[in-house]
Amino acid sequence: MILTVTLNTALDITYRVPSLRAGASHRVSEVLERPGGKGVNVARVLAALGHEVTVTGFSGGPTGRVLRDRLTEVPRVTDALVPVSGATRRTVTLVGDRTGATTHLNEPGPHIAHAEWSAFQEVYEDLLASASAVALCGSLPPGVPVGAYAGLCRTARAARVPVLLDTSGAALRRGVAGRPDFLKPNTEELAELTGSHEPLRATQDARRRGAGTVIASLGAEGLLAVTPEGRWRATPPAPLTGNPTGAGDAAVAGLLSALVEHRPWPERLIRATALSAATVLSPTAGDFDRAAYDRFLTTVTVTGVATAA
């Protein structure tokens, strides 16, 4: 079982409009609603790849009940969310069909009481006992300590469960001190963490700060991985036009699935890059185009070198 942690779960609502224009009134052509938050998105992709996944984090209020109801519709995903008194947030994405332009509105999430945070940590420790890997994903809701991810990383490492961290801002700066096995930032997050806008230098600096391996999302240019085993760069075959929502989460799912299957690093990066690219091409934000994914598996290129033994 792969465990994904989403402390700030959300009900994702997508509105599609013919053309998205600031300050204008829009007629909505389609409304999509489904459980979300970064770790939930990762779980959905992992399940589509055939893996058993458990989702934990927080859920509360009417929005939380809808989220949990929708989770029951996803095969191979087990709900282990911890109930809270506050209401789960909503995220709204506006998508313009003609240009693919997107606008995101993200609510802050419920306030988590000290007792609720303590209850989650107990559930988390119990779930680690049967986990083959864990992903800690997304923002922290109000009330959760800013150093929460560092503690969760240490707990996973003590349980000998490989842990991947995918967050940003203060949660990232504090979380890397927990020495996650894998860190998956984008270039902006890397620059904020290290002060460097040069990807290779920034990834190396992030490793010095505590991460075992750093896999940097370079947007349309693919992925860069700096690991104890070597350094590799994965590149999609051509620039893509589409909706990038969820592309980073799909990459995390690709990395985790290949990790638990004991694939070598070049194969992990090919899978992660192919999934990310196929997500950009999907008509539904956060899903991936299966045919495109199969095609990208044979066209993504990887360059790099393994560290000499």
Side-chain angles (χ1 to χ4, degrees):
M1 176 269 287
I2 299 175
L3 177 64
T4 71
V5 174
T6 314
L7 297 177
N8 211 5
T9 56
L11 185 65
D12 288 344
I13 303 169
T14 301
Y15 294 111
R16 303 193 70 92
V17 298
S19 179
L20 187 58
R21 303 184 310 279
S25 177
H26 297 82
R27 186 176 297 277
V28 176
S29 58
E30 183 181 20
V31 180
L32 300 172
E33 185 179 86
R34 66 180 186 177
K38 291 180 69 64
V40 175
N41 295 338
V42 171
R44 185 185 299 108
V45 176
L46 282 168
L49 293 173
H51 291 273
E52 297 295 324
V53 193
T54 296
V55 171
T56 191
F58 297 111
S59 175
T63 306
R65 287 195 292 273
V66 174
L67 184 151
R68 301 186 82 162
D69 286 344
R70 294 297 176 85
L71 272 181
T72 63
E73 301 169 2
V74 185
R76 290 184 289 274
V77 171
T78 299
D79 174 2
L81 293 169
V82 176
V84 295
S85 60
T88 296
R89 67 187 178 129
R90 295 162 297 180
T91 65
V92 178
T93 300
L94 308 176
V95 181
D97 289 332
R98 292 175 187 168
T99 64
T102 59
T103 296
H104 303 285
L105 304 174
N106 297 324
E107 296 179 359
H111 186 276
I112 305 301
H114 177 74
E116 293 167 339
W117 173 236
S118 297
F120 166 78
Q121 292 179 85
E122 292 181 8
V123 169
Y124 176 69
E125 289 190 40
D126 290 343
L127 291 170
L128 285 174
S130 55
S132 55
V134 57
L136 309 175
C137 303
S139 61
L140 301 177
V144 172
V146 69
Y149 281 138
L152 297 179
C153 284
R154 294 186 186 104
T155 301
R157 289 174 59 83
R160 300 185 181 275
V161 178
V163 56
L164 182 150
L165 177 61
D166 182 12
T167 186
S168 60
L172 173 58
R173 291 194 299 273
R174 295 286 295 274
V176 73
R179 305 186 68 82
D181 297 285
F182 309 97
L183 190 68
K184 211 290 296 172
N186 60 33
T187 51
E188 292 180 0
E189 292 160 352
L190 256 184
E192 185 179 4
L193 174 65
T194 66
S196 174
H197 291 272
E198 200 287 309
L200 179 57
R201 181 179 303 170
T203 52
Q204 292 170 331
D205 187 9
R207 286 198 68 211
R208 286 192 290 269
R209 291 168 185 259
T213 287
V214 180
I215 309 100
S217 291
L218 307 179
E221 297 179 9
L223 296 173
L224 170 66
V226 179
T227 85
E229 295 83 20
R231 185 174 73 215
W232 290 273
R233 172 82 174 267
T235 308
L240 303 173
T241 300
N243 183 359
T245 302
D249 303 332
V252 169
L255 293 167
L256 287 177
S257 64
L259 168 69
V260 300
E261 294 171 18
H262 308 290
R263 305 287 183 177
W265 269 108
E267 289 187 30
R268 297 184 199 182
L269 295 175
I270 287 172
R271 183 179 298 183
T273 303
L275 279 168
S276 182
T279 300
V280 172
L281 295 183
S282 173
T284 303
D287 284 340
F288 68 95
D289 183 310
R290 176 69 69 167
Y293 169 59
D294 292 339
R295 184 171 69 252
F296 287 134
L297 284 175
T298 63
T299 55
V300 170
T301 58
V302 176
T303 58
V305 60
T307 302

